[in-house]
Protein backbone atom coordinates (compact mmCIF):
# COMPACT_ATOMS: atom_id res chain seq x y z
CA UNK A 1 0.00 0.00 0.00
CA UNK A 2 2.87 2.26 0.85
CA UNK A 3 6.58 1.93 0.20
CA UNK A 4 8.11 1.73 3.65
CA UNK A 5 11.56 2.38 2.13
CA UNK A 6 10.55 6.05 2.24
CA UNK A 7 11.02 5.84 6.00
CA UNK A 8 14.38 5.90 7.79
CA UNK A 9 15.47 4.43 11.09
CA UNK A 10 18.76 5.78 12.39
CA UNK A 11 21.37 3.42 13.75
CA UNK A 12 23.12 5.20 16.62
CA UNK A 13 26.02 3.71 18.55
CA UNK A 14 26.98 5.06 21.95
CA UNK A 15 30.49 5.15 23.34
CA UNK A 16 32.83 7.62 25.10
CA UNK A 17 36.17 9.31 24.32
CA UNK A 18 38.04 7.39 27.03
CA UNK A 19 38.96 4.48 24.75
CA UNK A 20 41.21 6.37 22.33
CA UNK A 21 41.15 6.64 18.58
CA UNK A 22 42.01 3.07 17.62
CA UNK A 23 39.12 1.51 19.58
CA UNK A 24 36.64 4.16 18.43
CA UNK A 25 37.65 3.52 14.84
CA UNK A 26 36.78 -0.14 15.27
CA UNK A 27 33.50 0.77 16.98
CA UNK A 28 32.57 2.92 13.98
CA UNK A 29 33.53 0.20 11.50
CA UNK A 30 31.51 -2.45 13.29
CA UNK A 31 28.46 -0.18 13.58
CA UNK A 32 28.65 0.66 9.92
CA UNK A 33 28.74 -3.00 9.04
CA UNK A 34 25.70 -3.78 11.18
CA UNK A 35 23.73 -0.79 9.85
CA UNK A 36 24.54 -1.81 6.29
CA UNK A 37 23.46 -5.40 6.90
CA UNK A 38 20.15 -4.21 8.36
CA UNK A 39 19.61 -1.78 5.51
CA UNK A 40 19.96 -4.53 2.94
CA UNK A 41 18.17 -7.26 4.93
CA UNK A 42 14.96 -8.25 3.19
CA UNK A 43 13.19 -8.74 6.51
CA UNK A 44 13.55 -5.05 7.34
CA UNK A 45 11.10 -2.92 5.35
CA UNK A 46 12.52 0.55 6.14
CA UNK A 47 15.89 2.13 5.39
CA UNK A 48 18.49 1.81 8.16
CA UNK A 49 20.84 4.79 8.18
CA UNK A 50 24.21 4.66 9.91
CA UNK A 51 25.05 7.63 12.15
CA UNK A 52 28.50 8.44 13.58
CA UNK A 53 29.24 7.17 17.10
CA UNK A 54 28.07 9.52 19.87
CA UNK A 55 30.56 10.07 22.69
CA UNK A 56 29.40 13.11 24.67
CA UNK A 57 26.22 14.72 26.06
CA UNK A 58 26.41 17.33 23.29
CA UNK A 59 26.64 14.77 20.48
CA UNK A 60 23.80 12.73 21.98
CA UNK A 61 21.57 15.77 22.42
CA UNK A 62 22.26 16.88 18.90
CA UNK A 63 21.43 13.53 17.25
CA UNK A 64 18.15 13.32 19.21
CA UNK A 65 17.25 16.86 18.21
CA UNK A 66 18.00 16.08 14.58
CA UNK A 67 15.93 12.88 14.70
CA UNK A 68 12.99 14.90 16.01
CA UNK A 69 13.07 17.33 13.11
CA UNK A 70 13.87 15.06 10.17
CA UNK A 71 10.46 14.11 8.84
CA UNK A 72 11.17 10.69 7.36
CA UNK A 73 13.18 9.55 10.40
CA UNK A 74 10.66 7.36 12.24
CA UNK A 75 12.86 6.13 15.06
CA UNK A 76 16.28 5.29 16.45
CA UNK A 77 18.03 2.00 17.04
CA UNK A 78 20.55 2.53 19.85
CA UNK A 79 23.40 0.18 20.70
CA UNK A 80 26.26 0.55 23.19
CA UNK A 81 29.18 -1.31 21.61
CA UNK A 82 31.34 -0.15 24.53
CA UNK A 83 30.43 1.47 27.79
CA UNK A 84 28.69 4.82 27.31
CA UNK A 85 28.11 6.46 30.71
CA UNK A 86 24.40 7.01 30.70
CA UNK A 87 24.20 10.36 32.45
CA UNK A 88 25.45 11.62 29.08
CA UNK A 89 22.16 10.36 27.59
CA UNK A 90 19.76 12.17 29.92
CA UNK A 91 19.55 15.43 27.97
CA UNK A 92 19.06 13.74 24.61
CA UNK A 93 16.56 11.14 25.81
CA UNK A 94 14.56 13.87 27.55
CA UNK A 95 13.83 15.60 24.26
CA UNK A 96 13.64 12.57 21.95
CA UNK A 97 10.17 12.37 20.44
CA UNK A 98 10.74 9.44 18.09
CA UNK A 99 10.40 5.76 19.09
CA UNK A 100 13.54 4.01 20.31
CA UNK A 101 14.63 0.42 19.94
CA UNK A 102 17.43 -0.67 22.24
CA UNK A 103 19.41 -3.31 20.40
CA UNK A 104 21.28 -5.46 22.89
CA UNK A 105 23.74 -7.17 20.60
CA UNK A 106 27.46 -7.51 20.19
CA UNK A 107 29.57 -7.51 17.06
CA UNK A 108 31.03 -10.98 17.48
CA UNK A 109 28.65 -13.86 17.93
CA UNK A 110 31.06 -16.23 19.69
CA UNK A 111 33.75 -15.68 22.26
CA UNK A 112 37.13 -16.22 20.48
CA UNK A 113 38.33 -18.70 23.07
CA UNK A 114 41.93 -18.91 21.95
CA UNK A 115 42.67 -15.27 21.26
CA UNK A 116 40.51 -13.38 23.72
CA UNK A 117 42.52 -10.80 25.68
CA UNK A 118 41.84 -7.52 27.50
CA UNK A 119 41.89 -5.47 24.26
CA UNK A 120 39.05 -7.63 22.98
CA UNK A 121 37.22 -7.26 26.27
CA UNK A 122 37.61 -3.47 26.13
CA UNK A 123 36.11 -3.26 22.69
CA UNK A 124 33.23 -5.70 23.12
CA UNK A 125 31.46 -4.58 26.26
CA UNK A 126 27.81 -4.32 25.27
CA UNK A 127 26.91 -6.98 27.82
CA UNK A 128 27.44 -4.33 30.49
CA UNK A 129 27.39 -1.14 28.37
CA UNK A 130 23.79 -1.86 27.36
CA UNK A 131 22.86 -2.45 31.01
CA UNK A 132 24.03 1.05 31.88
CA UNK A 133 21.93 2.41 28.99
CA UNK A 134 18.94 0.30 30.02
CA UNK A 135 19.11 1.66 33.55
CA UNK A 136 18.81 5.29 32.49
CA UNK A 137 15.81 4.57 30.26
CA UNK A 138 14.11 2.67 33.07
CA UNK A 139 15.05 5.39 35.55
CA UNK A 140 13.47 7.96 33.21
CA UNK A 141 10.39 5.74 32.77
CA UNK A 142 10.84 5.76 29.00
CA UNK A 143 9.01 3.32 26.75
CA UNK A 144 11.24 1.45 24.34
CA UNK A 145 11.60 -1.96 22.78
CA UNK A 146 14.54 -4.08 23.90
CA UNK A 147 15.75 -6.63 21.35
CA UNK A 148 18.37 -9.14 22.47
CA UNK A 149 20.57 -11.34 20.30
CA UNK A 150 23.31 -11.40 17.71
CA UNK A 151 22.60 -8.95 14.89
CA UNK A 152 22.58 -11.70 12.26
CA UNK A 153 20.05 -13.74 14.23
CA UNK A 154 16.80 -14.16 12.24
CA UNK A 155 14.66 -13.47 15.30
CA UNK A 156 16.48 -10.19 15.90
CA UNK A 157 15.82 -9.11 12.31
CA UNK A 158 12.19 -10.15 12.67
CA UNK A 159 11.75 -8.08 15.84
CA UNK A 160 13.31 -5.05 14.17
CA UNK A 161 10.95 -5.62 11.25
CA UNK A 162 7.95 -5.64 13.60
CA UNK A 163 9.04 -2.57 15.52
CA UNK A 164 9.87 -0.56 12.41
CA UNK A 165 6.41 -1.33 10.97
CA UNK A 166 4.82 -0.08 14.18
CA UNK A 167 7.03 3.03 13.99
CA UNK A 168 5.88 3.63 10.38
CA UNK A 169 2.24 3.45 11.50
CA UNK A 170 2.97 5.81 14.36
CA UNK A 171 4.81 8.26 12.11
CA UNK A 172 1.92 8.18 9.64
CA UNK A 173 -0.50 9.28 12.40
CA UNK A 174 1.52 12.41 13.21
CA UNK A 175 -0.30 15.29 11.57
CA UNK A 176 -2.75 12.90 9.84
CA UNK A 177 -6.21 14.22 9.03
CA UNK A 178 -9.41 12.20 9.32
CA UNK A 179 -12.79 13.49 8.21
CA UNK A 180 -16.23 12.54 9.49
CA UNK A 181 -19.29 12.98 7.32
CA UNK A 182 -21.95 13.55 9.94
CA UNK A 183 -21.68 12.72 13.62
CA UNK A 184 -21.70 9.43 15.51
CA UNK A 185 -24.67 7.13 15.33
CA UNK A 186 -27.13 8.53 17.82
CA UNK A 187 -26.85 7.24 21.41
CA UNK A 188 -23.91 4.92 20.67
CA UNK A 189 -21.24 5.06 23.41
CA UNK A 190 -18.15 3.12 22.42
CA UNK A 191 -17.64 4.79 19.05
CA UNK A 192 -17.66 8.22 20.69
CA UNK A 193 -14.79 9.73 22.62
CA UNK A 194 -12.53 12.68 23.25
CA UNK A 195 -11.16 13.96 19.95
CA UNK A 196 -9.08 16.63 21.66
CA UNK A 197 -7.35 14.05 23.84
CA UNK A 198 -6.86 11.82 20.78
CA UNK A 199 -5.10 14.63 18.95
CA UNK A 200 -2.86 15.29 21.96
CA UNK A 201 -2.05 11.64 22.46
CA UNK A 202 -2.00 10.30 18.90
CA UNK A 203 -1.08 13.29 16.76
CA UNK A 204 -3.97 13.01 14.29
CA UNK A 205 -6.92 15.36 13.94
CA UNK A 206 -10.56 14.46 13.41
CA UNK A 207 -12.95 17.04 12.01
CA UNK A 208 -16.48 16.89 10.72
CA UNK A 209 -18.04 18.03 7.47
CA UNK A 210 -21.75 18.27 6.94
CA UNK A 211 -22.68 15.60 4.42
CA UNK A 212 -23.80 18.41 2.06
CA UNK A 213 -20.15 19.37 1.50
CA UNK A 214 -19.53 15.86 0.20
CA UNK A 215 -22.73 15.82 -1.89
CA UNK A 216 -21.54 18.93 -3.72
CA UNK A 217 -18.36 17.11 -4.78
CA UNK A 218 -20.27 13.92 -5.71
CA UNK A 219 -22.67 15.92 -7.88
CA UNK A 220 -19.79 17.48 -9.81
CA UNK A 221 -18.51 14.08 -11.03
CA UNK A 222 -18.75 13.72 -14.82
CA UNK A 223 -20.50 10.93 -16.73
CA UNK A 224 -17.23 10.08 -18.40
CA UNK A 225 -15.50 9.39 -15.09
CA UNK A 226 -18.45 7.22 -14.07
CA UNK A 227 -18.21 5.25 -17.35
CA UNK A 228 -14.54 4.51 -16.69
CA UNK A 229 -15.12 3.37 -13.11
CA UNK A 230 -18.12 1.16 -13.91
CA UNK A 231 -16.02 -0.57 -16.58
CA UNK A 232 -13.34 -1.13 -13.98
CA UNK A 233 -15.95 -2.70 -11.68
CA UNK A 234 -17.10 -5.00 -14.47
CA UNK A 235 -13.55 -6.07 -15.18
CA UNK A 236 -12.37 -6.56 -11.64
CA UNK A 237 -15.41 -8.13 -9.98
CA UNK A 238 -18.08 -10.70 -10.77
CA UNK A 239 -20.80 -8.10 -11.27
CA UNK A 240 -24.34 -9.53 -11.19
CA UNK A 241 -26.18 -9.19 -14.57
CA UNK A 242 -28.76 -6.68 -13.31
CA UNK A 243 -25.97 -4.20 -12.47
CA UNK A 244 -24.14 -4.63 -15.77
CA UNK A 245 -24.49 -2.28 -18.69
CA UNK A 246 -27.96 -2.90 -20.11
CA UNK A 247 -29.17 -4.48 -16.85
CA UNK A 248 -32.21 -2.99 -15.14
CA UNK A 249 -30.18 -1.81 -12.11
CA UNK A 250 -27.22 -0.43 -14.08
CA UNK A 251 -28.08 3.05 -12.84
CA UNK A 252 -27.53 1.94 -9.24
CA UNK A 253 -24.00 0.84 -10.17
CA UNK A 254 -23.46 4.26 -11.75
CA UNK A 255 -24.70 5.93 -8.56
CA UNK A 256 -22.26 3.83 -6.51
CA UNK A 257 -19.38 4.75 -8.81
CA UNK A 258 -20.32 8.41 -8.59
CA UNK A 259 -20.23 8.22 -4.78
CA UNK A 260 -16.82 6.55 -4.85
CA UNK A 261 -15.43 9.18 -7.21
CA UNK A 262 -16.83 12.00 -5.08
CA UNK A 263 -15.45 10.53 -1.88
CA UNK A 264 -12.05 9.99 -3.49
CA UNK A 265 -11.93 13.60 -4.73
CA UNK A 266 -12.96 14.93 -1.32
CA UNK A 267 -10.34 12.86 0.51
CA UNK A 268 -7.58 13.76 -1.94
CA UNK A 269 -8.46 17.43 -1.93
CA UNK A 270 -8.47 17.60 1.88
CA UNK A 271 -5.36 15.41 2.22
CA UNK A 272 -7.30 13.00 4.44
CA UNK A 273 -6.05 9.55 5.43
CA UNK A 274 -9.46 8.17 6.31
CA UNK A 275 -13.11 8.91 6.94
CA UNK A 276 -16.31 7.89 8.66
CA UNK A 277 -19.91 8.11 7.55
CA UNK A 278 -23.23 7.10 9.06
CA UNK A 279 -26.42 5.68 7.64
CA UNK A 280 -28.32 8.18 9.81
CA UNK A 281 -26.95 11.16 7.92
CA UNK A 282 -26.92 10.70 4.16
CA UNK A 283 -28.90 13.73 3.01
CA UNK A 284 -28.44 13.96 -0.74
CA UNK A 285 -26.45 10.70 -1.07
CA UNK A 286 -28.68 8.14 -2.75
CA UNK A 287 -27.07 5.00 -1.25
CA UNK A 288 -24.99 4.30 1.82
CA UNK A 289 -21.42 4.11 0.43
CA UNK A 290 -20.72 0.36 0.26
CA UNK A 291 -18.40 -0.59 -2.57
CA UNK A 292 -16.87 2.91 -2.27
CA UNK A 293 -15.79 2.35 1.34
CA UNK A 294 -14.62 -1.19 0.57
CA UNK A 295 -12.44 0.00 -2.30
CA UNK A 296 -11.14 3.12 -0.58
CA UNK A 297 -9.98 0.94 2.32
CA UNK A 298 -8.38 -1.30 -0.31
CA UNK A 299 -6.38 1.74 -1.43
CA UNK A 300 -5.15 2.41 2.11
CA UNK A 301 -7.70 4.79 3.57
CA UNK A 302 -8.93 4.24 7.11
CA UNK A 303 -12.67 3.78 7.55
CA UNK A 304 -15.11 3.48 10.43
CA UNK A 305 -18.87 3.03 10.13
CA UNK A 306 -21.43 5.04 12.13
CA UNK A 307 -19.01 7.87 12.84
CA UNK A 308 -16.41 5.61 14.46
CA UNK A 309 -13.33 7.81 14.02
CA UNK A 310 -11.11 5.86 16.45
CA UNK A 311 -11.50 2.72 14.35
CA UNK A 312 -11.03 4.66 11.10
CA UNK A 313 -7.68 5.95 12.40
CA UNK A 314 -6.69 2.49 13.65
CA UNK A 315 -7.54 0.86 10.31
CA UNK A 316 -5.29 3.40 8.59
CA UNK A 317 -2.38 2.84 10.99
CA UNK A 318 -2.66 -0.93 10.65
CA UNK A 319 -2.70 -0.67 6.86
CA UNK A 320 0.54 1.31 6.99
CA UNK A 321 2.10 -1.24 9.36
CA UNK A 322 1.08 -4.11 7.07
CA UNK A 323 2.37 -2.47 3.86
CA UNK A 324 3.88 -5.00 1.51
CA UNK A 325 2.84 -8.02 3.57
CA UNK A 326 0.57 -10.74 2.26
CA UNK A 327 -3.03 -10.40 3.51
CA UNK A 328 -5.02 -7.35 4.48
CA UNK A 329 -6.53 -5.17 7.18
CA UNK A 330 -10.22 -4.31 7.29
CA UNK A 331 -12.87 -2.55 9.28
CA UNK A 332 -14.82 -5.33 11.02
CA UNK A 333 -17.64 -6.01 13.42
CA UNK A 334 -18.39 -9.06 15.56
CA UNK A 335 -21.79 -9.69 14.04
CA UNK A 336 -23.34 -12.96 15.14
CA UNK A 337 -22.38 -16.20 16.91
CA UNK A 338 -22.47 -19.92 16.26
CA UNK A 339 -22.80 -21.34 19.78
CA UNK A 340 -22.43 -25.01 18.86
CA UNK A 341 -20.44 -26.30 21.87
CA UNK A 342 -18.36 -28.52 19.60
CA UNK A 343 -17.51 -25.78 17.15
CA UNK A 344 -18.20 -22.28 18.48
CA UNK A 345 -17.57 -19.47 15.97
CA UNK A 346 -17.91 -15.74 15.47
CA UNK A 347 -19.25 -14.45 12.19
CA UNK A 348 -17.63 -11.09 11.48
CA UNK A 349 -19.08 -8.70 8.95
CA UNK A 350 -20.70 -5.29 8.63
CA UNK A 351 -23.73 -3.80 6.93
CA UNK A 352 -21.48 -3.41 3.85
CA UNK A 353 -18.07 -2.04 4.57
CA UNK A 354 -15.47 -4.81 4.79
CA UNK A 355 -12.21 -3.97 3.00
CA UNK A 356 -11.59 -5.84 -0.22
CA UNK A 357 -7.95 -6.43 0.83
CA UNK A 358 -9.06 -9.50 2.81
CA UNK A 359 -11.19 -11.04 0.03
CA UNK A 360 -10.40 -14.63 -0.83
CA UNK A 361 -10.51 -14.64 -4.63
CA UNK A 362 -12.61 -12.52 -6.94
CA UNK A 363 -15.34 -10.61 -5.11
CA UNK A 364 -18.93 -10.56 -6.32
CA UNK A 365 -20.50 -7.15 -6.89
CA UNK A 366 -24.15 -7.26 -5.86
CA UNK A 367 -27.07 -5.05 -4.92
CA UNK A 368 -29.53 -5.73 -2.12
CA UNK A 369 -31.87 -3.69 0.06
CA UNK A 370 -30.54 -2.37 3.37
CA UNK A 371 -32.96 -2.71 6.24
CA UNK A 372 -32.07 0.63 7.83
CA UNK A 373 -31.40 4.17 6.67
CA UNK A 374 -34.27 4.51 4.22
CA UNK A 375 -32.05 4.99 1.17
CA UNK A 376 -31.80 3.28 -2.22
CA UNK A 377 -30.36 -0.25 -2.28
CA UNK A 378 -26.58 -0.02 -1.93
CA UNK A 379 -24.07 -1.77 -4.19
CA UNK A 380 -21.50 -3.83 -2.32
CA UNK A 381 -18.73 -6.38 -2.74
CA UNK A 382 -19.55 -9.82 -1.34
CA UNK A 383 -16.78 -12.29 -0.57
CA UNK A 384 -15.42 -14.90 1.83
CA UNK A 385 -12.19 -14.59 3.75
CA UNK A 386 -9.44 -17.19 3.85
CA UNK A 387 -8.57 -19.31 6.89
CA UNK A 388 -5.50 -18.56 8.96
CA UNK A 389 -4.20 -16.70 11.98
CA UNK A 390 -5.61 -13.20 12.42
CA UNK A 391 -6.47 -10.69 15.10
CA UNK A 392 -9.02 -8.05 16.01
CA UNK A 393 -7.91 -4.73 17.48
CA UNK A 394 -9.94 -1.93 18.99
CA UNK A 395 -9.14 1.39 20.66
CA UNK A 396 -11.57 2.52 23.33
CA UNK A 397 -11.72 5.74 25.32
CA UNK A 398 -11.80 4.84 29.03
CA UNK A 399 -12.27 8.45 30.08
CA UNK A 400 -8.86 8.85 31.72
CA UNK A 401 -6.95 7.01 29.00
CA UNK A 402 -7.14 5.15 25.72
CA UNK A 403 -6.93 1.38 25.73
CA UNK A 404 -5.82 -0.74 22.79
CA UNK A 405 -7.38 -4.15 22.94
CA UNK A 406 -6.14 -7.06 20.83
CA UNK A 407 -7.67 -10.50 20.46
CA UNK A 408 -5.80 -13.16 18.54
CA UNK A 409 -8.15 -15.36 16.54
CA UNK A 410 -8.00 -18.23 14.08
CA UNK A 411 -10.05 -17.67 10.93
CA UNK A 412 -11.58 -20.79 9.50
CA UNK A 413 -12.57 -21.68 5.95
CA UNK A 414 -16.27 -21.09 5.20
CA UNK A 415 -18.25 -24.16 6.17
CA UNK A 416 -21.47 -23.18 4.36
CA UNK A 417 -22.44 -21.18 1.27
CA UNK A 418 -24.64 -18.60 3.05
CA UNK A 419 -26.56 -17.95 -0.19
CA UNK A 420 -28.85 -15.38 1.36
CA UNK A 421 -26.23 -13.35 3.23
CA UNK A 422 -25.48 -10.37 0.98
CA UNK A 423 -22.31 -9.11 2.67
CA UNK A 424 -18.61 -9.93 2.95
CA UNK A 425 -18.01 -12.18 5.94
CA UNK A 426 -15.39 -14.06 7.88
CA UNK A 427 -15.61 -16.84 10.45
CA UNK A 428 -13.15 -17.08 13.33
CA UNK A 429 -12.45 -18.70 16.66
CA UNK A 430 -11.20 -16.32 19.31
CA UNK A 431 -8.26 -17.31 21.53
CA UNK A 432 -7.93 -18.75 24.09
CA UNK A 433 -11.44 -20.14 23.49
CA UNK A 434 -14.84 -18.76 22.59
CA UNK A 435 -16.17 -18.19 26.10
CA UNK A 436 -12.98 -16.81 27.63
CA UNK A 437 -12.14 -14.68 24.59
CA UNK A 438 -15.57 -13.05 24.41
CA UNK A 439 -15.79 -12.53 28.19
CA UNK A 440 -12.33 -10.97 28.28
CA UNK A 441 -13.19 -8.63 25.40
CA UNK A 442 -16.40 -7.53 27.12
CA UNK A 443 -14.72 -7.04 30.51
CA UNK A 444 -12.03 -4.90 28.87
CA UNK A 445 -14.71 -2.74 27.21
CA UNK A 446 -13.66 -3.60 23.66
CA UNK A 447 -15.83 -2.13 20.91
CA UNK A 448 -18.04 -4.07 18.50
CA UNK A 449 -16.04 -2.36 15.74
CA UNK A 450 -12.47 -3.48 15.17
CA UNK A 451 -9.71 -3.61 12.65
CA UNK A 452 -9.32 -7.21 11.52
CA UNK A 453 -5.80 -8.05 10.46
CA UNK A 454 -4.40 -11.01 8.56
CA UNK A 455 -0.82 -9.81 8.50
CA UNK A 456 -0.07 -8.12 11.82
CA UNK A 457 0.70 -9.79 15.14
CA UNK A 458 0.02 -8.81 18.72
CA UNK A 459 3.68 -7.73 18.88
CA UNK A 460 3.12 -5.07 16.18
CA UNK A 461 0.26 -3.65 18.21
CA UNK A 462 2.06 -3.85 21.53
CA UNK A 463 5.00 -1.95 20.05
CA UNK A 464 2.56 0.56 18.60
CA UNK A 465 0.77 1.07 21.95
CA UNK A 466 4.12 1.66 23.66
CA UNK A 467 5.01 4.31 21.11
CA UNK A 468 1.66 5.98 21.79
CA UNK A 469 2.11 5.57 25.54
CA UNK A 470 -1.27 3.86 25.96
CA UNK A 471 -2.49 0.73 27.65
CA UNK A 472 -2.46 -2.46 25.61
CA UNK A 473 -4.55 -5.44 26.65
CA UNK A 474 -3.85 -8.70 24.87
CA UNK A 475 -6.33 -11.55 24.76
CA UNK A 476 -4.48 -14.56 23.40
CA UNK A 477 -3.61 -18.19 23.98
CA UNK A 478 -2.39 -17.53 27.53
CA UNK A 479 -5.30 -15.42 28.72
CA UNK A 480 -7.08 -16.51 31.84
CA UNK A 481 -9.98 -14.48 33.13
CA UNK A 482 -8.84 -14.18 36.72
CA UNK A 483 -5.49 -12.74 35.67
CA UNK A 484 -7.11 -10.47 33.11
CA UNK A 485 -9.50 -9.04 35.68
CA UNK A 486 -6.55 -8.30 37.95
CA UNK A 487 -4.60 -6.71 35.10
CA UNK A 488 -7.52 -4.42 34.32
CA UNK A 489 -7.85 -3.41 37.96
CA UNK A 490 -4.12 -2.85 38.44
CA UNK A 491 -3.93 -0.82 35.24
CA UNK A 492 -6.69 1.36 36.62
CA UNK A 493 -4.26 2.42 39.35
CA UNK A 494 -1.25 2.70 37.04
CA UNK A 495 -3.05 5.08 34.70
CA UNK A 496 -4.63 7.20 37.43
MN1 LIG B 1 -21.28 -0.92 12.92
Amino acid sequence: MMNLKDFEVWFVTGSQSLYGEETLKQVAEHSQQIAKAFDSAKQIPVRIVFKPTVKSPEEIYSICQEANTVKNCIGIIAWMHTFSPAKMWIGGLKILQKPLLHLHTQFNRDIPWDSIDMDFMNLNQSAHGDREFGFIMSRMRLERKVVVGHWQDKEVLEQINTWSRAAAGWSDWQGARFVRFGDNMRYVAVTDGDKVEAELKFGYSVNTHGVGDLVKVINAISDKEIDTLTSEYEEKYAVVPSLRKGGDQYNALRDAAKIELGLTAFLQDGNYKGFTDTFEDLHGIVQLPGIASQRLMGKGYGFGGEGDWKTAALVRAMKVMGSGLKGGNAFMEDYTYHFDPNDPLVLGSHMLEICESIADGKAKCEIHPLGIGGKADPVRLVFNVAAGPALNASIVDMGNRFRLLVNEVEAIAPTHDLPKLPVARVLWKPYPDMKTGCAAWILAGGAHHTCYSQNLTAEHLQDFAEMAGIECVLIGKETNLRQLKNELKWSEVYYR
Side-chain angles (χ1 to χ4, degrees):
M1 175 212 120
M2 186 184 251
N3 184 7
L4 296 182
K5 287 283 174 205
D6 293 339
F7 292 120
E8 287 179 3
V9 166
W10 292 1
F11 190 85
V12 177
T13 308
S15 188
Q16 60 180 330
S17 302
L18 188 76
Y19 300 109
E21 230 170 272
E22 193 45 42
T23 302
L24 287 173
K25 216 179 111 194
Q26 278 180 288
V27 167
E29 274 168 20
H30 290 166
S31 308
Q32 236 162 327
Q33 208 174 316
I34 296 175
K36 218 173 139 192
F38 285 171
D39 191 44
S40 49
K42 20 174 224 311
Q43 293 100 315
I44 298 180
V46 299
R47 292 206 51 217
I48 304 288
V49 178
F50 166 80
K51 292 286 164 182
T53 314
V54 288
K55 306 172 297 298
S56 67
E58 293 75 20
E59 287 172 1
I60 292 166
Y61 186 87
S62 155
I63 194 86
C64 292
Q65 198 175 37
E66 202 188 330
N68 285 345
T69 53
V70 172
K71 204 172 169 242
N72 59 349
C73 169
I74 59 168
I76 283 182
I77 296 176
W79 171 50
M80 309 301 126
H81 189 332
T82 57
F83 202 76
S84 180
K87 284 200 261 182
M88 298 196 309
W89 283 85
I90 293 174
L93 291 175
K94 235 164 89 178
I95 60 153
L96 182 66
Q97 290 159 354
K98 301 278 168 92
L100 188 142
L101 181 149
H102 180 187
L103 179 63
H104 186 45
T105 191
Q106 69 184 14
F107 186 70
N108 54 301
R109 195 193 71 174
D110 300 341
I111 292 175
W113 305 106
D114 293 332
S115 62
I116 187 166
D117 58 12
M118 276 322 284
D119 284 346
F120 181 91
M121 297 277 273
N122 260 340
L123 176 63
N124 299 286
Q125 309 183 18
S126 32
H128 62 276
D130 273 328
R131 282 178 157 74
E132 166 76 356
F133 183 67
F135 165 73
I136 202 63
M137 293 205 75
S138 291
R139 172 66 181 80
M140 293 172 76
R141 274 75 176 169
L142 295 176
E143 296 280 11
R144 77 284 196 189
K145 185 181 182 93
V146 178
V147 174
V148 180
H150 190 248
W151 53 280
Q152 287 166 324
D153 178 343
K154 269 194 195 121
E155 281 174 23
V156 166
L157 293 172
E158 212 35 68
Q159 282 189 285
I160 296 174
N161 172 14
T162 300
W163 173 85
S164 55
R165 288 179 174 280
W170 178 246
S171 167
D172 182 74
W173 261 11
Q174 306 314 305
R177 294 154 57 86
F178 293 92
V179 61
R180 299 196 314 153
F181 301 111
D183 202 341
N184 277 53
M185 180 177 166
R186 286 184 277 278
Y187 304 110
V188 176
V190 76
T191 55
D192 221 321
D194 186 341
K195 299 195 284 295
V196 175
E197 188 60 24
E199 189 160 349
L200 280 166
K201 203 79 201 166
F202 299 136
Y204 64 70
S205 65
V206 182
N207 286 292
T208 304
H209 271 267
V211 72
D213 291 346
L214 172 61
V215 169
K216 221 185 289 168
V217 181
I218 292 173
N219 288 342
I221 298 298
S222 71
D223 281 345
K224 209 175 140 227
E225 289 170 277
I226 298 171
D227 290 341
T228 311
L229 187 55
T230 49
S231 319
E232 188 185 325
Y233 289 168
E234 293 205 27
E235 226 166 87
K236 195 167 172 197
Y237 310 111
V239 179
V240 290
S242 66
L243 286 175
R244 289 180 170 268
K245 206 166 189 171
D248 59 354
Q249 288 174 300
Y250 177 59
N251 276 336
L253 190 74
R254 295 187 65 84
D255 286 339
K258 192 172 174 178
I259 292 168
E260 178 181 333
L261 289 160
L263 264 166
T264 306
F266 196 102
L267 295 172
Q268 282 173 350
D269 190 50
N271 200 18
Y272 292 111
K273 289 178 173 172
F275 67 104
T276 70
D277 59 18
T278 166
F279 66 91
E280 284 178 339
D281 190 354
L282 292 173
H283 299 281
I285 302 185
V286 293
Q287 319 167 359
L288 175 64
I291 188 171
S293 303
Q294 294 178 287
R295 284 169 45 89
L296 281 162
M297 269 189 274
K299 289 179 177 154
Y301 288 99
F303 171 81
E306 295 97 47
D308 187 351
W309 52 272
K310 292 192 297 299
T311 304
L314 184 63
V315 169
R316 165 67 187 193
M318 288 172 70
K319 283 180 173 292
V320 172
M321 290 187 237
S323 291
L325 297 176
K326 205 168 157 270
N329 291 276
F331 177 61
M332 186 60 68
E333 183 166 305
D334 293 72
Y335 225 103
T336 199
Y337 290 145
H338 184 59
F339 264 145
D340 174 356
N342 297 316
D343 188 29
L345 293 168
V346 180
L347 191 155
S349 187
H350 203 255
M351 286 191 294
L352 305 169
E353 311 94 332
I354 302 298
C355 175
E356 64 171 344
S357 67
I358 63 168
D360 187 18
K362 193 174 190 172
K364 287 182 277 184
C365 177
E366 302 180 3
I367 182 166
H368 302 274
L370 191 67
I372 50 178
K375 289 283 170 174
D377 300 352
V379 175
R380 80 286 306 274
L381 297 174
V382 179
F383 51 83
N384 286 316
V385 175
L391 59 78
N392 281 304
S394 158
I395 290 186
V396 292
D397 183 345
M398 294 300 292
N400 62 346
R401 67 185 186 278
F402 291 102
R403 169 181 286 161
L404 174 62
L405 190 58
V406 180
N407 186 194
E408 294 171 316
V409 305
E410 190 69 35
I412 63 140
T415 45
H416 297 82
D417 277 347
L418 317 178
K420 292 192 172 170
L421 188 70
V423 284
R425 60 289 184 112
V426 49
L427 288 166
W428 68 74
K429 291 176 187 293
Y431 281 114
D433 57 72
M434 181 82 166
K435 285 182 178 171
T436 312
C438 293
W441 187 271
I442 284 169
L443 285 166
H448 52 285
H449 286 167
T450 60
C451 179
Y452 176 87
S453 179
Q454 293 175 316
N455 55 24
L456 299 178
T457 62
E459 190 181 342
H460 288 104
L461 290 157
Q462 277 169 325
D463 287 354
F464 186 73
E466 279 169 6
M467 289 168 193
I470 63 166
E471 181 185 9
C472 183
V473 176
L474 171 64
I475 304 166
K477 289 173 189 164
E478 320 273 291
T479 296
N480 99 39
L481 274 186
R482 220 181 99 73
Q483 275 307 322
L484 183 103
K485 283 185 194 178
N486 282 335
E487 179 187 337
L488 296 176
K489 282 178 186 154
W490 293 333
S491 296
E492 206 59 58
V493 180
Y494 176 85
Y495 288 97
R496 183 145 293 158

